[in-house]
Amino acid sequence: ALPISKGSGPNLACPQTTTVATERLVAFGGKMTMTAKKRTDSPAARAKDLSGSTGKAEDSRDFIFSATDEPHVTRRAEILKKHPEIKSLMGYEWRTKYIVAATVALQIFMAWLTLEWRWPAFIAANYVVGATANHSLFLAIHELAHNLGAKSIAGNKLISLVANFPIGIPYSINFKPYHMEHHRYQGQDGVDTDIPTRLEGWLITDTATCYLDHTCRKAIFMFFQIFAYALRPLAIKPSLVPMDAWMVLNYVVQFSFDGLMMYLFGPQAMLWFLGSTFLAGSIHPTAGHFIAEHYVVEGDVETYSYYGPLNRLAYNVGYHNEHHDFPNIAWGNLPKVREIAPEYYDNLPQCKSWVGILMKYIFDDSISPYSRVKREKKIS
């Protein structure tokens, strides 16, 4: 699902350019023309452009500014008015805790099984099995942050502590406040920490000298993107998460688990767990959802769904429009939302391939950290 360019193609040795106009066959399916030109207008003017739904912002070296509210609240109200039966889908998913337990058990078993393996086999297994399992656990923690794995808030937090075990680093309690801000204030500058910072844009895009340089920088970012997702929230809003009893418990039980694994199996067990975590957030098929969910690739559409088979390993996180419209519906029922209200989802742009969007992000010069919709900050 690599982007295919028509015409002369990129100039690998060119000085930095300010205009790109290329028709591509893209991973999202179909043809579309993306144009990037030097902009001289203000952010307010760019917001005015998007408020009129004129399409994708033209400057590939700046974010896409919108004066409109995020689309999910309005669509949710419309869908509930037309399909009130969707309310019956809301609630927790009883299967989540069992899948979490099985995935944690698998990772402990693999950490033991691979103790004597040679490095090539170890790394291959770590990528194929370990990274896939840990990414599944990332998304289990995502479900639990929405209180969709148990009846009580405490029950969800306890399950998330267990899901955190093979990840090696305590983060399940930290994750929830930042993710709730992403839902409540999608795109708001300095609030939604899912959006890359201007520093990331400067390092990856602004200072790139040509297509090859830009491509290499994006590939390096994708390889190490787990660090951006881990550190960006702490850099933007370090005071959002209080040091409470749950935070302390997360650290205590996580480091106790790490210590127990090293006691039972030796330090190499932690190489399995931490390697799984790193690769899960690197150039891995399941990590494609990081790009697929909100990077703008068509017009000014800021949320995309993926309906492919990898959802089976990812708690249906690919149903991302459905998830943002109804964040209180658990993964098991998200496909039913689309079945009940297909008129709201079938005509939206979709991601056809998580692997394809990873490749598009790296090789398509018009896609960059700036390919995100931003809004003016509305909360303190």
Side-chain angles (χ1 to χ4, degrees), residues 350-365:
Q350 301 170 10
C351 174
K352 301 299 183 183
S353 167
W354 279 348
V355 175
I357 193 59
L358 284 175
M359 296 300 101
K360 177 175 175 58
Y361 179 84
I362 294 171
F363 292 105
D364 189 327
D365 205 40

Side-chain angles (χ1 to χ4, degrees), residues 200-243:
E200 292 170 72
W202 182 82
L203 290 171
I204 296 169
T205 297
D206 290 347
T207 54
T209 58
C210 63
Y211 170 80
L212 182 59
D213 185 18
H214 194 209
T215 299
C216 289
R217 291 182 190 217
K218 289 191 290 181
I220 292 170
F221 171 79
M222 291 302 301
F223 189 70
F224 293 103
Q225 70 170 326
I226 190 69
F227 295 108
Y229 277 88
L231 300 177
R232 187 191 301 137
L234 300 178
I236 295 176
K237 299 193 72 175
S239 61
L240 184 61
V241 181
M243 180 60 75

Side-chain angles (χ1 to χ4, degrees), residues 23-52:
E23 184 178 62
R24 291 179 171 87
L25 291 172
V26 299
F28 276 67
K31 296 181 180 179
M32 67 188 197
T33 302
M34 295 184 180
T35 305
K37 297 179 180 178
K38 186 67 177 179
R39 293 292 296 260
T40 58
D41 51 358
S42 65
R46 291 192 292 273
K48 184 177 180 181
D49 287 346
L50 274 185
S51 67

Side-chain angles (χ1 to χ4, degrees), residues 103-159:
T103 308
V104 171
L106 171 65
Q107 282 292 75
I108 294 173
F109 171 74
M110 290 300 299
W112 166 78
L113 182 67
T114 59
L115 287 175
E116 304 297 330
W117 288 18
R118 294 183 178 180
W119 283 109
F122 180 90
I123 293 171
N126 205 217
Y127 184 85
V128 175
V129 179
T132 303
N134 270 16
H135 206 105
S136 180
L137 292 171
F138 291 167
L139 296 169
I141 290 171
H142 165 259
E143 281 284 302
L144 295 159
H146 286 279
N147 297 322
L148 295 174
K151 291 182 179 180
S152 67
I153 293 175
N156 281 281
K157 288 184 176 181
L158 288 171
I159 299 170

